[in-house]
Amino acid sequence: MSTGGQTTVPEASSGAGLDRKLLAVGAVVVLGAIMSILDITVVNVAISKLSAEFETSLETIQWIATGYTLALATVIPLAGWASNRFGTKRLYLTAITLFLAGSAMAGMAWSVESLIGFRVLQGLGGGMIMPAGMIILTQAAGPQRIGRVMSVLGVPMLLGPIFGPILGGWLVDDVSWRWIFFINVPVGILALVAGLRILPKDNPQPTQKLDLLGLLLLSPGLAALIYGLAQVPKAGGFKGAEVLVPAIAGAVLIAGFIVRATRTSHPLIDLKLFRNRTFTVSSIAMVLFAIAFFGAMLMFPLYYQTVRGETALAAGLLLAPQGIGAMLTMPIGGIVADRFGPARIAQAGIIVIVAGMAVFTQVGADTSYWLLGGALFVMGMGMGMTMMPMMTGALRTITKADVPGASTSLNIIQQIGGSIGTALMAVVLSNELAERLPTGGERGGLGAAQAVPPELREQVNPLIADAFGSTFFWSMVLLAVAFIPALFLPRGKAPVDPEAADEEHTPMLVG
């Protein structure tokens, strides 16, 4: 039985495998996660089509992505409190309902303004889906099975960015842009029905009031910081006012929240979680990995489209080997993390990813697709061995009462890490391109690369490919840096009863 208003779940057997009830709960959570994560990448493919459909500028239509992301960042901090206050099942089903309603209305949008508004509604639901799903799975599995369960949740997190462009490209080219939203409707209805029938009954036991001041600091702070980072590619760096003003304002608000959280008895997110050294080390490893991983995920399709002239659909298909590799190793990674601890499997995974990335540091204008596909397959295998074991390390010594706050914190860490990684790699690529290509007036960086006339493409492509290779090198360096905190991830089986563990003085086991 859980405490603090979480979902009532059967006690997890300390050494059992994934029984039918747990697999059924996992299937419900994955349905929602796939829907929300795929939606982001599917919509990104349709940006140009939507700009033409609504006869509006690219800067305006980008708000269907930006508005969703900002709504996502705004509601994530509420997940822990809402789980305690209303129950995790209610929270999850409410999030699915909001996302479903936003999807249906976005598919019926009659103007760019209505589409942006409905995307914000989608984001309000989407921001709750992942943290609520993590809470449900973590509580249902118990510490001894958390690795295998996190591997289940990791499938949409790793495969969404790969298969989203494939699905989005097909829908936009051969069906209708409206179906990039309507496709969520049957999946959402299935997730709702299954959730009502399968998820354990809630037993909410609200123990604290909403930290309203903390919410007013953290939610706008996260939204402003992520918005500022999202402007980096357009600004061509970190120096523009459109980047610095929101990013600095967001950082100040987040700093204010941290000060507030240390001085109040019931903060929105309990920062005392970071006194747990296992949770802290795992969080550091996760944020470094997220920066490198999401930055690299931006680069792969750009290389195929800009240098090799592939369509979005073709680029998505060329990225498929990465997803296949991840699917093969992710279940193994979860089992190993549960039996022997996340340290060595995560360390091995990082080494494998770096080996695959090394191929892309030498990429050219005509590098064999078979070689690149093999490198992506190797990287996918490494990703399947890395991301979820790191998350397992963060959650395995957390008490049930602290799971909502820990889940919320990890989702915030991933959002910020992903935003930093995307912005950082975009700037590196822009600078590398600017050094190699003529600006063509005021247009430089990626804009200059995409604007190269067809008659000059053969001459210029090697220079563009070289810029991508240099950018991949820095992504490889960031991945290698994530190996350092991975050295301090825990080894051995998780404690059967984390509530009995002394989080202040448990020795840190080095992998």
Side-chain angles (χ1 to χ4, degrees), residues 3-375:
T3 61
Q6 295 101 21
T7 301
T8 302
V9 296
E11 290 298 323
S13 171
S14 62
L18 301 184
D19 54 66
R20 289 181 60 186
K21 287 185 178 180
L22 183 54
L23 286 172
V25 170
V28 174
V29 172
V30 167
L31 270 177
I34 285 176
M35 186 173 61
S36 62
I37 293 174
L38 272 179
D39 186 78
I40 298 173
T41 50
V42 167
V43 169
N44 286 344
V45 172
I47 291 293
S48 296
K49 174 74 172 180
L50 292 170
S51 178
E53 180 75 22
F54 290 107
E55 299 179 349
T56 188
S57 68
L58 189 60
E59 288 75 17
T60 299
I61 204 66
Q62 280 285 359
W63 273 95
I64 71 167
T66 304
Y68 180 91
T69 303
L70 297 185
L72 206 76
T74 300
V75 298
I76 285 176
L78 274 171
W81 172 83
S83 173
N84 285 330
R85 177 64 180 83
F86 303 108
T88 312
K89 180 177 181 177
R90 289 188 184 93
L91 175 64
Y92 188 73
L93 295 180
T94 299
I96 294 289
T97 302
L98 283 174
F99 189 88
L100 182 59
S103 297
M105 289 187 282
M108 296 184 288
W110 56 89
S111 67
V112 66
E113 293 81 10
S114 64
L115 181 58
I116 292 170
F118 297 143
R119 282 287 287 167
V120 170
L121 178 61
Q122 263 191 311
L124 294 176
M128 293 287 194
I129 289 175
M130 282 300 291
M134 283 177 61
I135 294 168
I136 291 169
L137 281 181
T138 302
Q139 292 173 343
Q144 295 294 305
R145 301 187 293 179
I146 187 64
R148 281 162 285 180
V149 156
M150 284 296 108
S151 294
V152 171
L153 188 59
V155 172
M157 294 177 67
L158 286 177
L159 301 189
I162 296 168
F163 292 110
I166 300 174
L167 178 62
W170 173 66
L171 289 173
V172 169
D173 291 342
D174 299 329
V175 188
S176 165
W177 67 265
R178 296 185 183 276
W179 275 94
I180 64 176
F181 303 111
F182 285 149
I183 198 170
N184 292 323
V185 174
V187 180
I189 292 173
L190 179 61
L192 274 178
V193 173
L196 285 168
R197 293 174 60 89
I198 294 172
L199 294 183
K201 184 179 179 182
D202 279 324
N203 182 29
Q205 298 173 7
T207 57
Q208 64 189 60
K209 294 182 179 179
L210 175 64
D211 177 16
L212 184 58
L213 179 57
L215 179 65
L216 294 176
L217 289 170
L218 185 56
S219 286
L222 285 173
L225 177 61
I226 291 173
Y227 175 76
L229 292 171
Q231 302 308 302
V232 168
K234 186 170 70 175
F238 291 93
K239 296 180 180 179
E242 64 267 44
V243 174
L244 289 176
V245 172
I248 292 174
V252 169
L253 288 171
I254 292 171
F257 168 78
I258 293 172
V259 172
R260 156 81 179 176
T262 59
R263 297 181 178 179
T264 185
S265 56
H266 298 293
L268 187 66
I269 296 175
D270 189 359
L271 298 184
K272 294 185 180 69
L273 284 169
F274 291 94
R275 292 181 180 175
N276 180 325
R277 286 172 290 181
T278 299
F279 183 81
T280 300
V281 167
S282 299
S283 297
I284 294 171
M286 279 184 58
V287 74
L288 289 173
F289 184 79
I291 290 171
F293 171 71
F294 287 107
M297 290 303 296
L298 171 71
M299 294 297 107
F300 295 136
L302 279 178
Y303 165 77
Y304 282 123
Q305 291 175 287
T306 305
V307 179
R308 310 303 286 267
E310 301 291 352
T311 63
L313 176 57
L317 289 169
L318 288 166
L319 292 174
Q322 192 175 40
I324 296 170
M327 289 175 66
L328 291 176
T329 58
M330 196 176 293
I332 299 171
I335 293 170
V336 172
D338 281 341
R339 291 185 179 177
F340 306 106
R344 289 183 177 172
I345 187 68
Q347 293 160 17
I350 292 173
I351 292 171
V352 171
I353 297 171
V354 169
M357 182 65 79
V359 173
F360 278 88
T361 65
Q362 306 301 313
V363 75
D366 56 358
T367 304
S368 165
Y369 279 173
W370 287 103
L371 176 61
L372 297 180

Side-chain angles (χ1 to χ4, degrees), residues 258-503:
I258 293 172
V259 172
R260 156 81 179 176
T262 59
R263 297 181 178 179
T264 185
S265 56
H266 298 293
L268 187 66
I269 296 175
D270 189 359
L271 298 184
K272 294 185 180 69
L273 284 169
F274 291 94
R275 292 181 180 175
N276 180 325
R277 286 172 290 181
T278 299
F279 183 81
T280 300
V281 167
S282 299
S283 297
I284 294 171
M286 279 184 58
V287 74
L288 289 173
F289 184 79
I291 290 171
F293 171 71
F294 287 107
M297 290 303 296
L298 171 71
M299 294 297 107
F300 295 136
L302 279 178
Y303 165 77
Y304 282 123
Q305 291 175 287
T306 305
V307 179
R308 310 303 286 267
E310 301 291 352
T311 63
L313 176 57
L317 289 169
L318 288 166
L319 292 174
Q322 192 175 40
I324 296 170
M327 289 175 66
L328 291 176
T329 58
M330 196 176 293
I332 299 171
I335 293 170
V336 172
D338 281 341
R339 291 185 179 177
F340 306 106
R344 289 183 177 172
I345 187 68
Q347 293 160 17
I350 292 173
I351 292 171
V352 171
I353 297 171
V354 169
M357 182 65 79
V359 173
F360 278 88
T361 65
Q362 306 301 313
V363 75
D366 56 358
T367 304
S368 165
Y369 279 173
W370 287 103
L371 176 61
L372 297 180
L376 284 168
F377 178 77
V378 170
M379 290 187 66
M381 292 178 67
M383 289 172 187
M385 298 160 62
T386 306
M387 182 177 286
M388 288 303 107
M390 286 181 177
M391 192 171 290
T392 299
L395 293 172
R396 60 190 259 147
T397 58
I398 298 299
T399 64
K400 284 186 177 180
D402 286 333
V403 165
S407 172
T408 301
S409 298
L410 293 176
N411 276 271
I412 290 173
I413 286 168
Q414 284 188 333
Q415 284 290 323
I416 294 177
S419 298
I420 292 173
T422 300
L424 187 60
M425 288 300 103
V427 170
V428 172
L429 177 62
S430 182
N431 289 338
E432 294 290 342
L433 288 167
E435 289 180 4
R436 292 165 173 81
L437 300 180
T439 59
E442 295 183 357
R443 197 176 187 189
L446 187 59
Q450 293 171 333
V452 172
E455 61 271 15
L456 297 177
R457 176 63 65 178
E458 188 174 343
Q459 302 174 31
V460 175
N461 262 358
L463 298 175
I464 302 174
D466 186 54
F468 272 95
S470 296
T471 306
F472 284 126
F473 171 80
W474 288 109
S475 185
M476 183 180 72
V477 170
L478 286 173
L479 284 164
V481 169
F483 187 83
I484 297 173
L487 289 171
F488 300 96
L489 291 172
R491 290 177 56 189
K493 290 186 177 181
V496 176
D497 182 12
E499 309 225 70
D502 183 350
E503 295 182 350

